[in-house]
Amino acid sequence: MDLRVPEEHRQLVDLARRFTRERIVPHAARWDRDEAIDRDLVPALGEVGFLGLGVPEADGGSGGDNLAYCLVLEEIAAGDSAVRGIISVSLGLVGKTIAAHGTAEQRARWLPRLCSGQALGCFGLTEPGTGSDAGSLATSAERDGDDWLITGRKVFITNGTWADVALVFARTGGPGPRGITAFLVPTDSPGFQASEIRGKLGMRGQATAELVLDRVRVPDSARLGEPGQGFKLAMAALDRGRMSVAAGCVGAARGALEASIAYAKQREQFGKPIAGFQLVQELLADMAVETDAARLLTWRCADLADRGEPFGTEASMAKLYASEAAVRVANNAIQVFGGYGYVDEYPVGKYLRDTRVTTLYEGTSQIQKLLIGRALTGVNAFA
């Protein structure tokens, strides 16, 4: 067991840290207030290779392993979790699914554009009536000659109003997971509408949308994988997604910790910096331990994935612990800052608001516990 980060990965971390410091941190508060990230950041992310990590160079990606991907996401999330979400969804959920399961035509059409930042993807799984129970989704796709007509609604879709392609999961067969098929739907298709959801608690700069598909026609060549395999594709994507969410939570927690340490050293009360008070040190110590524990769980998940071994349960463990820990760390950061932590002139309130949703999406904390419990006992709590 060697937990030292290899030299080539350290160089990538340095690049991600510089990019975050120069292109993200100076604008994060404004993006949060305006509820909109500057769109020109997307091609910039592609130019440095962050939107192609893990996708083969032959398909237009920048290569690299899962550890590299997690390290970059940690750095990005330390600056702004909303930016991390753009990468996690467009690359982690959509791009990597196309790379793993797409035809040569699908890979050639979408991957070079997604990896360069010329296009973005969104992941159309969650519906107004089916969140955790994704196997019961109601969106339908019916055959019409050589085409499919897709009808339904999706909600809480990251990148939804920015995306050029939506990976949409629709029912083509009977009830349950086995009746679901995946499709790559261009968002400029007639009958496809995206409406932005505003007023979110956190991740405010990130475009989140409701999608409405009204008999959207796509050719059979837009089908990703075989009919009835869509649910399996979605669950495999979510295993990768949970690893990336965990990495982002580590970054947000680390950002909150670093801000708290700096503030505690310069803020004085009772004639000395508050960093000298034992109870403040206790807060910082708890934050540091939780951040490191979350990071190690995430690295274990990345290591298993890079070895080609199953990592679904470990991804659930990493996502469960890292998301809950990030909320606790950010909450402690506000305690260190006192009243100043409650206003957005300082970053720690944003860390708390941004991390709160990570305990909900890509499987709530309760769903992660059920998945872990099933792996431990062999008993399916969903049956």
Side-chain angles (χ1 to χ4, degrees), residues 23-42:
R23 298 298 302 269
I24 296 176
V25 171
H27 312 290
R30 174 173 59 83
W31 291 339
D32 184 63
R33 292 167 185 156
D34 295 346
E35 298 189 56
I37 291 170
D38 294 336
R39 185 62 189 263
D40 61 6
L41 184 69
V42 174

Side-chain angles (χ1 to χ4, degrees), residues 267-286:
R267 170 68 167 170
E268 291 191 358
Q269 291 286 277
F270 304 102
K272 67 177 183 179
I274 64 172
F277 293 109
Q278 290 179 342
L279 293 180
V280 172
Q281 290 185 0
E282 180 187 38
L283 288 170
L284 297 174
D286 287 345

Side-chain angles (χ1 to χ4, degrees), residues 58-60 98-99 102-114:
D59 286 327
I98 297 172
T103 64
E105 178 186 357
Q106 289 168 341
R107 296 197 307 273
R109 178 179 182 183
W110 293 114
L111 288 179
R113 295 176 60 202
L114 290 172

Side-chain angles (χ1 to χ4, degrees), residues 65-371:
D65 57 15
N66 286 284
L67 177 60
Y69 180 55
C70 289
L71 290 170
V72 167
L73 291 182
E74 177 180 333
E75 295 302 323
I76 297 293
D80 191 345
S81 289
V83 178
R84 190 276 306 163
I86 293 173
I87 301 172
S88 290
V89 172
S90 188
L91 169 60
L93 294 183
V94 180
K96 291 186 178 183
T97 302
I98 297 172
H101 303 283
T103 64
E105 178 186 357
Q106 289 168 341
R107 296 197 307 273
R109 178 179 182 183
W110 293 114
L111 288 179
R113 295 176 60 202
L114 290 172
C115 294
S116 66
Q118 295 176 8
L120 280 177
C122 67
F123 190 75
L125 181 64
T126 300
E127 298 183 357
T130 55
S132 297
D133 187 14
S136 297
L137 61 80
T139 296
S140 65
E142 56 184 78
R143 286 303 295 256
D144 184 40
D146 294 331
D147 298 338
W148 296 86
L149 296 176
I150 305 176
T151 299
R153 294 171 62 200
K154 304 291 181 177
V155 73
F156 304 130
I157 306 302
T158 299
N159 297 342
T161 53
W162 283 16
D164 302 272
V165 60
L167 176 50
V168 174
F169 298 89
R171 187 164 304 285
T172 57
R178 295 181 181 179
I180 297 171
T181 301
F183 297 90
L184 294 169
V185 182
T187 58
D188 60 359
S189 301
F192 187 104
Q193 294 183 333
S195 303
E196 187 168 358
I197 298 171
R198 299 180 69 85
K200 296 173 294 184
L201 176 67
M203 300 285 200
R204 293 168 65 87
Q206 176 181 280
T208 305
E210 178 180 14
L211 309 181
V212 177
L213 296 89
D214 183 10
R215 294 178 65 81
V216 174
R217 182 179 295 273
V218 296
D220 189 54
S221 60
R223 174 172 44 81
L224 186 63
E226 297 299 319
Q229 289 188 342
F231 190 79
K232 289 184 178 179
L233 266 61
M235 294 305 102
L238 288 175
D239 283 343
R240 293 190 300 270
R242 288 161 184 158
M243 176 173 60
S244 69
V245 170
C249 288
V250 172
R254 196 196 80 204
L257 172 61
E258 291 175 348
S260 298
I261 293 171
Y263 181 81
K265 287 181 177 180
Q266 61 90 19
R267 170 68 167 170
E268 291 191 358
Q269 291 286 277
F270 304 102
K272 67 177 183 179
I274 64 172
F277 293 109
Q278 290 179 342
L279 293 180
V280 172
Q281 290 185 0
E282 180 187 38
L283 288 170
L284 297 174
D286 287 345
M287 294 160 71
V289 171
E290 295 225 78
T291 302
D292 270 8
R295 181 181 292 111
L296 291 174
L297 283 170
T298 304
W299 284 9
R300 178 181 68 166
C301 183
D303 181 64
L304 287 170
D306 286 333
R307 294 174 187 272
E309 299 181 17
F311 64 94
T313 301
E314 289 77 11
S316 288
M317 290 180 176
K319 196 266 187 185
L320 169 64
Y321 185 83
S323 62
E324 296 286 349
V327 173
R328 291 191 294 268
V329 169
N331 197 50
N332 278 353
I334 291 178
Q335 204 69 19
V336 172
F337 273 73
Y340 291 106
Y342 209 67
V343 294
D344 69 357
E345 179 182 352
Y346 295 89
V348 290
K350 182 177 184 305
Y351 284 124
L352 179 62
R353 291 186 290 106
D354 286 349
T355 55
R356 186 61 182 86
V357 75
T358 64
T359 70
L360 301 176
Y361 64 21
E362 300 197 29
T364 65
S365 292
Q366 288 69 34
I367 289 294
Q368 305 312 318
K369 291 178 180 181
L370 291 177
L371 292 170

